[in-house]
Amino acid sequence: MLTKFETKSNRVKGLSFHPRRPWILASLHSGVIQMWDYRMGTLLDRFDEHDGPVRGVHFHATQPLFVSGGDDYKIKVWNYKTHRCLFTLHGHLDYIRTVQFHHEYPWIVSASDDQTIRIWNWQSRTCVAVLTGHNHYVMCASFHPKEDLVVSASLDQTVRVWDIGALRKKTVSPADDILRLTQMNTDLFGGIDAVVKYVLEGHDRGVNWASFHPSLPLIVSGADDRQVKLWRMNDTKAWEVDTLRGHMNNVSCVMFHAKQDIIVSNSEDKSIRIWDATKRTGIQTFRREHDRFWILAAHPEMNLLAAGHDSGMIVFKLERERPAFCVSGDTVFYVKDRFLRYFEYSTQKEVQVAPIRRPGSVSLNQSPRTLSYSPTENAVLICSDVDGGSYELYIVPKDSAGRSDYLQEAKKGAGGSAVFVARNRFAVLEKSSNQVLVKNLKNEIVKKSPLPIATDAIYYAGTGNLLCKAEDRVTIFDLQQRLVLGELFRPLLLNMLFWSSDMESVALLSKHAVVIANKKLVHRCTLHETIRVKSGAWDENGVFIYTTLNHMKYCLPNGDSGIIKTLDVPIYITRVIGNNIFCLDRDGKNKLVTVDASEYIFKLALLRKRYDHVMSMIKNSQLCGQAVISYLQQKGFPEVALHFVKDEKTRFNLALESGNIQIAVASAKEIDDKDHWYRLGIEALRQGNVGIVEYAYQRTKNFERLAFLYLITGYLDKVGFMCKIAGQNNNLMGQFHNALYLGDARKRAEILENAGQLPLAYVTAATHGLTETAERLAAELGENVPSLPEGKSHSLLMPPAPLMACGDWPLLRVMRGIFEGGLDATGRAELEEDAAAAGADWGDEDLDIVDASEVVANGGDGFDAEEVEPNEEDGEGGWDLEDLELPPETETPKGCQQCSLCCICCAYTRHACQPNLDSEIFSGWGACSSREL
């Protein structure tokens, strides 16, 4: 029994698999219904409206519904999408044991301790039939999967089969009104809609469970007499076929397996037993330590079973379904339906080679586990777990392909693992002595070699080499020289390994991890998966493609990974050729899956610095999505990410990160948000692009920073106009700051006087020789005229002369990125089209900046037509400009080696960068004189 998922909870009394989703319902003795995702191992939802234990639960085959029945005598129908109970069906007078939807009609069948079976129409929410006849608790009732039959089991020691054909006919083709009225009346008394067809008697104690075979006229039942009985029926009668004995306590549940000719039963003796339905003998027994089993459920499509016990439930399958296969050149050899077959990738032709085993025992886990192939000798080595581990060697003649009557006697032997290590030699692991036996094609031992570690399994690792797996490590061992060529210490429960075509890389797969190493087992990367890893293969580019239960994924040599495709059912990859992925399903059928490999090929080109391929894919592929953008940002290629982004906010962030000021301006204009203009101003200031800084400050109406910008760039006339604008806006503090920047003492005295600060205005006028103004203010102050200090000389504080004027500041010398250069040479037109689409103009004209003098001359109170309240912080609207033209493209500074002038601005704007004070170019204020540093 291969456990796939296990939960710990209160006692589980009811189970049901969803027919399509990887979900299972578990109804608990505590009254809670849980819905689990058994692939992810997560609890999806819980439903808690029943009073007392919930013993029966069942998913609908097509609708988002499930039904439950419990000890509160209620049947509830739920919608699991809306997470609520839709309605409750009342009618039973005692505990409800089981509930089940019909596979076709809108019916629910329920079994109860009130000794009745009821059939409900869940659409009309009415009871359409009451089946009476049992004289003790009815422990279960279920519909036949194809016919108009219901089977029930009761503690009255009988199993009953009910014919509900009349009910179906009435539902599908109703008669006239009088007949329907008669039928409705008779329904109240148990009527003619359902009749007992057979009563199966044979159990000595109460029967707990009975179920139909999915396709044959068989019934299996389990009872408190610890026996499992098999019954056969025809049109006229039913009879007992055989009795299966072995359980040591009450048999709780029993059913036929959907895909194999076996019977599964569980019991209060804490065991699950598997029986051969043909030979009617026990095959295997699985025991729990302390938990009694109560219920079984089978998946309607997949080879999965579930069992509920005292402390939770288990989802399991009886044997592994991974097909044994081996890829050789253009061919994959594999085992299907006890035949060795091969499939050619080029022609997609499947050929049946030879039978490998005559039909016989259905013992579990006896199917081939691994397959090894020698192409020169056309020899096949098949290993299985038969007799504790054995192998079979087949030499297939060339002319036998396609002959179904060909049967060769295989050469057999015992061994935990067996693989070809040379053209006509294969190695067999002998675990007892921890050595390898090298044999020829006659199955004769030619050499024995002890292994360097306690080996659990061996794998091919090149001619004459073996990869040995131990509990804590894997080792490559040279059989000829008896040397260890490589070793990897990993607590890895290795299940499979896959070599690249050049044998330079190997992927080691465990249940929940993928480890990539080179041919010497030097570790490269490890990927951890929460979902089980199923298979993998290398493509011709050196990318490892692997599958989990529900995804197909890729792994790059540096460990980067991603999802290629979501899978409905598990598949096993055999080969990857470009965008075509060949695989086998669990039934051994070859499938071709076509995928889009652009994402991982693009990332691989970036990793290997194949920038010509990157540029080609940028222009020609349809790559998109947040995953690609995020990857490019993480790997330091924001300028490349710009080509995959349409969202303006994302484009703006990427443009700032890559220093592309032109695209940033275009995006900021589209967004027109104060915060984005502010960030654009900071980046333009870092680059020294005065025009864009001025434009950004105008859009945010940031008068203080704008005035300081004019000051340090030498536009003192504009500082004067900013002073007037501040006065028009009644911004006295801004007006005073601008007067300070200009060194205008008269204006400062005037501002102080208008603000009511007459003493300060008098001191300013008297200090700077404004006699008339000082006398006038002294007259107004009278006796409150402040005294000036004697013996002190005064001086007017003037701002230093700017380093430059009329144009952008000196820009830092930077190296263009490889993609910017590539675009300059090959893709300039495409980039211009992208920018134009985003609203940018790549012309050589300057931005049309609003002139402050025109605003003052026009009597405006700001840089737009609307009135601006004093100290307004609103950034909406901005400075209304008709046309936005970008300045010529300039090289983007990337470093933090700013000149001293830039450092003044940084200090003012609280920018994070700091000058390198130890650098020679920062030896003092004004030391920077060249256009480029």
Side-chain angles (χ1 to χ4, degrees):
M1 185 172 73
L2 305 176
T3 302
K4 296 299 177 184
F5 173 60
E6 188 167 357
T7 68
K8 296 295 182 183
S9 67
N10 206 295
R11 182 183 303 167
V12 174
K13 301 294 289 185
L15 289 170
S16 176
F17 281 100
H18 194 282
R20 293 176 306 279
R21 303 269 188 175
W23 299 344
I24 186 170
L25 284 171
S27 59
L28 309 184
H29 199 266
S30 62
V32 175
I33 302 170
Q34 296 177 337
M35 185 164 71
W36 294 86
D37 185 321
Y38 53 81
R39 279 190 184 178
M40 298 292 293
T42 55
L43 178 64
L44 300 177
D45 211 341
R46 52 182 284 137
F47 307 87
D48 187 6
E49 287 189 21
H50 278 284
D51 298 324
V54 183
R55 300 179 185 271
V57 69
H58 191 243
F59 270 118
H60 195 278
T62 58
Q63 300 297 319
L65 305 174
F66 71 87
V67 60
S68 62
D71 286 4
D72 55 4
Y73 314 164
K74 297 175 182 176
I75 297 173
K76 291 181 177 287
V77 176
W78 309 75
N79 185 315
Y80 56 75
K81 285 189 176 180
T82 59
H83 313 283
R84 66 186 184 91
C85 176
L86 298 180
F87 55 87
T88 302
L89 301 174
H90 299 275
H92 279 297
L93 306 175
D94 209 335
Y95 296 170
I96 298 171
R97 295 286 178 171
T98 62
V99 286
Q100 183 194 22
F101 281 110
H102 193 275
H103 61 281
E104 183 178 356
Y105 300 116
W107 295 343
I108 296 169
V109 63
S110 59
S112 172
D113 283 2
D114 64 6
Q115 305 180 17
T116 67
I117 302 154
R118 292 176 183 257
I119 298 177
W120 313 76
N121 186 316
W122 58 265
Q123 289 182 340
S124 62
R125 306 182 186 182
T126 58
C127 179
V128 296
V130 180
L131 284 62
T132 59
H134 283 295
N135 53 33
H136 209 307
Y137 301 161
V138 183
M139 301 300 289
C140 79
S142 59
F143 291 111
H144 193 281
K146 297 178 181 178
E147 301 179 21
D148 297 328
L149 299 174
V150 170
V151 64
S152 62
S154 170
L155 294 189
D156 64 7
Q157 304 180 16
T158 67
V159 174
R160 292 177 180 247
V161 178
W162 309 79
D163 187 344
I164 57 171
L167 180 63
R168 179 186 60 81
K169 292 176 182 177
K170 185 180 73 171
T171 303
V172 176
S173 302
D176 55 69
D177 293 341
I178 297 177
L179 179 59
R180 277 186 292 169
L181 182 59
T182 304
Q183 290 173 334
M184 289 176 62
N185 291 333
T186 55
D187 287 344
L188 298 176
F189 302 98
I192 60 173
D193 289 339
V195 296
V196 176
K197 190 171 185 180
Y198 314 117
V199 178
L200 308 179
E201 298 178 316
H203 283 288
D204 298 329
R205 300 187 66 180
V207 186
N208 294 314
W209 203 268
S211 58
F212 288 113
H213 192 282
S215 57
L216 300 176
L218 297 175
I219 297 173
V220 66
S221 61
D224 288 347
D225 59 7
R226 308 177 183 181
Q227 298 176 0
V228 174
K229 288 186 179 291
L230 189 63
W231 314 80
R232 181 176 290 274
M233 60 183 180
N234 57 23
D235 292 337
T236 59
K237 63 178 181 177
W239 64 96
E240 180 181 337
V241 175
D242 209 342
T243 299
L244 310 178
R245 295 177 174 87
H247 280 294
M248 308 303 292
N249 207 332
N250 302 339
V251 179
S252 306
C253 189
V254 60
M255 63 177 55
F256 292 99
H257 194 279
K259 295 190 175 183
Q260 300 185 47
D261 198 12
I262 58 178
I263 295 169
V264 185
S265 64
N266 65 6
S267 166
E268 295 181 43
D269 65 5
K270 307 172 187 176
S271 72
I272 301 174
R273 289 180 179 260
I274 313 300
W275 313 83
D276 186 332
T278 304
K279 297 181 179 179
R280 295 148 199 173
T281 57
I283 300 175
Q284 287 188 11
T285 302
F286 307 102
R287 295 189 180 276
R288 295 284 293 190
E289 196 66 31
H290 304 292
D291 298 316
R292 297 169 295 176
F293 284 99
W294 299 103
I295 188 68
L296 284 170
H299 195 286
E301 303 292 337
M302 300 171 62
N303 186 24
L304 289 176
L305 297 171
H309 53 79
D310 282 336
S311 58
M313 69 166 174
I314 307 170
V315 177
F316 63 96
K317 59 183 179 182
L318 297 177
E319 58 183 349
R320 63 196 303 271
E321 296 173 284
R322 172 185 166 84
F325 65 88
C326 179
V327 178
S328 176
D330 188 51
T331 306
V332 57
F333 286 83
Y334 61 99
V335 176
K336 175 188 175 184
D337 298 333
R338 298 189 178 91
F339 277 88
L340 175 66
R341 306 166 189 259
Y342 72 81
F343 176 82
E344 292 181 348
Y345 296 114
S346 56
T347 62
Q348 298 192 27
K349 178 184 177 183
E350 180 181 310
V351 177
Q352 181 174 296
V353 179
I356 61 170
R357 189 182 298 117
R358 296 183 184 276
S361 171
V362 295
S363 297
L364 300 180
N365 294 312
Q366 305 300 297
S367 59
R369 191 174 185 87
T370 62
L371 188 150
S372 184
Y373 176 68
S374 173
T376 56
E377 303 296 328
N378 213 32
V380 179
L381 196 61
I382 298 174
C383 298
S384 66
D385 293 333
V386 177
D387 300 327
S390 62
Y391 66 87
E392 298 176 2
L393 176 63
Y394 296 88
I395 310 297
V396 183
K398 299 289 186 181
D399 58 353
S400 68
R403 289 177 52 191
S404 60
D405 59 340
Y406 173 79
L407 177 65
Q408 181 198 351
E409 193 66 32
K411 298 178 175 66
K412 300 181 180 181
S417 301
V419 292
F420 280 103
V421 292
R423 176 178 60 86
N424 57 357
R425 296 287 188 271
F426 64 94
V428 180
L429 173 63
E430 191 177 73
K431 285 188 178 181
S432 59
S433 59
N434 195 42
Q435 64 178 352
V436 165
L437 309 178
V438 180
K439 298 186 177 184
N440 59 21
L441 297 183
K442 296 180 181 179
N443 205 23
E444 300 169 343
I445 298 176
V446 297
K447 184 178 182 181
K448 293 183 179 181
S449 178
L451 293 173
I453 60 175
T455 304
D456 297 328
I458 56 175
Y459 303 87
Y460 175 73
T463 302
N465 297 334
L466 288 176
L467 189 144
C468 306
K469 182 194 79 169
E471 287 186 2
D472 60 342
R473 72 188 76 179
V474 288
T475 299
I476 293 182
F477 182 62
D478 188 324
L479 287 172
Q480 188 67 29
Q481 304 179 46
R482 298 187 178 181
L483 294 176
V484 174
L485 304 181
E487 197 165 38
L488 179 63
F489 288 86
R490 289 270 160 178
L492 179 71
L493 297 175
L494 177 64
N495 291 335
M496 299 163 280
L497 66 85
F498 300 93
W499 287 95
S500 59
S501 57
D502 57 4
M503 295 295 291
E504 292 293 323
S505 301
V506 62
L508 310 172
L509 273 60
S510 69
K511 189 178 294 185
H512 292 288
V514 177
V515 177
I516 305 297
N518 66 9
K519 63 180 179 181
K520 298 296 184 182
L521 291 186
V522 177
H523 177 260
R524 289 180 178 171
C525 62
T526 299
L527 294 178
H528 295 281
E529 295 286 343
T530 56
I531 306 300
R532 292 173 185 263
V533 180
K534 305 304 291 184
S535 68
W538 295 85
D539 80 342
E540 61 268 22
N541 299 302
V543 179
F544 185 65
I545 311 298
Y546 66 99
T547 61
T548 65
L549 272 174
N550 53 0
H551 285 121
M552 182 183 293
K553 296 187 173 184
Y554 64 84
C555 175
L556 300 182
N558 65 342
D560 292 339
S561 64
I563 296 175
I564 300 175
K565 184 181 180 65
T566 300
L567 304 175
D568 295 327
V569 294
I571 58 175
Y572 302 89
I573 299 176
T574 59
R575 191 173 181 188
V576 181
I577 305 176
N579 289 345
N580 295 324
I581 297 181
F582 293 91
C583 54
L584 289 166
D585 63 12
R586 283 176 162 170
D587 295 327
K589 297 178 182 177
N590 281 279
K591 291 187 175 182
L592 173 61
V593 179
T594 302
V595 300
D596 183 2
S598 302
E599 180 179 328
Y600 67 80
I601 295 299
F602 177 78
K603 292 181 179 180
L604 186 66
L606 276 177
L607 174 65
R608 295 180 173 173
K609 301 181 179 179
R610 297 294 304 273
Y611 298 126
D612 52 340
H613 290 181
V614 174
M615 296 302 304
S616 175
M617 295 188 72
I618 288 174
K619 298 172 190 175
N620 302 322
S621 70
Q622 300 296 319
L623 283 170
C624 62
Q626 291 296 326
V628 174
I629 297 167
S630 176
Y631 180 84
L632 290 169
Q633 283 185 281
Q634 292 173 5
K635 298 300 177 182
F637 298 108
E639 66 275 16
V640 182
L642 272 171
H643 298 279
F644 304 103
V645 180
K646 301 301 180 185
D647 178 67
E648 291 297 343
K649 290 186 178 180
T650 308
R651 284 178 65 84
F652 179 84
N653 293 330
L654 291 172
L656 288 192
E657 187 176 345
S658 60
N660 194 325
I661 200 70
Q662 287 84 4
I663 292 182
V665 171
S667 296
K669 187 180 179 186
E670 291 293 327
I671 300 169
D672 199 18
D673 175 74
K674 182 177 180 179
D675 178 65
H676 288 77
W677 285 116
Y678 172 76
R679 293 169 58 198
L680 176 65
I682 292 178
E683 176 61 23
L685 192 64
R686 189 180 73 86
Q687 295 189 18
N689 199 320
V690 177
I692 294 179
V693 176
E694 181 181 5
Y695 184 62
Y697 288 170
Q698 287 181 356
R699 296 292 299 216
T700 58
K701 301 177 185 176
N702 200 329
F703 300 129
E704 291 81 5
R705 294 192 177 193
L706 190 59
F708 188 77
L709 176 70
Y710 289 148
L711 170 68
I712 63 175
T713 53
Y715 292 103
L716 298 182
D717 54 341
K718 291 189 177 183
V719 177
F721 290 124
M722 293 301 298
C723 184
K724 294 179 181 179
I725 292 171
Q728 292 172 355
N729 289 335
N730 295 322
N731 185 358
L732 296 178
M733 186 57 72
Q735 193 178 11
F736 186 76
H737 283 163
N738 289 324
L740 278 174
Y741 296 157
L742 294 170
D744 190 343
R746 185 179 300 278
K747 188 66 175 178
R748 285 161 51 194
E750 178 186 340
I751 294 170
L752 291 170
E753 182 181 359
N754 293 336
Q757 299 291 334
L758 298 183
L760 290 175
Y762 169 77
V763 171
T764 303
T767 301
H768 296 290
L770 304 177
T771 308
E772 294 180 2
T773 304
E775 291 177 353
R776 178 171 52 80
L777 292 173
E780 293 185 21
L781 290 170
E783 297 179 357
N784 296 323
V785 176
S787 60
L788 299 178
E790 297 180 359
K792 299 288 185 180
S793 61
H794 66 272
S795 62
L796 182 62
L797 181 62
M798 295 292 294
L803 295 181
M804 58 161 289
C806 303
D808 289 339
W809 302 333
L811 300 179
L812 304 181
R813 183 186 298 275
V814 296
M815 294 296 295
R816 278 192 179 275
I818 183 67
F819 300 104
E820 295 176 87
L823 285 171
D824 286 342
T826 61
R828 180 66 176 169
E830 289 87 341
L831 188 56
E832 289 178 357
E833 291 175 5
D834 291 344
D841 185 354
W842 289 79
D844 293 331
E845 300 181 7
D846 291 338
L847 286 169
D848 188 8
I849 307 298
V850 175
D851 193 344
S853 61
E854 295 180 3
V855 177
V856 177
N858 294 332
D861 53 4
F863 285 78
D864 56 8
E866 301 175 359
E867 277 200 7
V868 182
E869 297 296 332
N871 300 321
E872 181 180 2
E873 293 297 331
D874 183 18
E876 297 295 330
W879 306 53
D880 291 342
L881 303 176
E882 295 297 331
D883 296 314
L884 171 63
E885 295 184 353
L886 299 180
E889 182 181 6
T890 53
E891 301 228 348
T892 303
K894 284 292 188 183
C896 268
Q897 294 181 341
Q898 286 89 350
C899 65
S900 54
L901 181 60
C902 186
C903 291
I904 285 183
C905 300
C906 290
Y908 181 76
T909 58
R910 296 179 177 85
H911 198 273
C913 63
Q914 298 292 332
N916 183 0
L917 298 179
D918 296 331
S919 176
E920 294 181 1
I921 63 173
F922 293 111
S923 57
W925 170 258
C928 176
S929 59
S930 64
R931 287 290 295 174
E932 294 181 345
L933 294 177

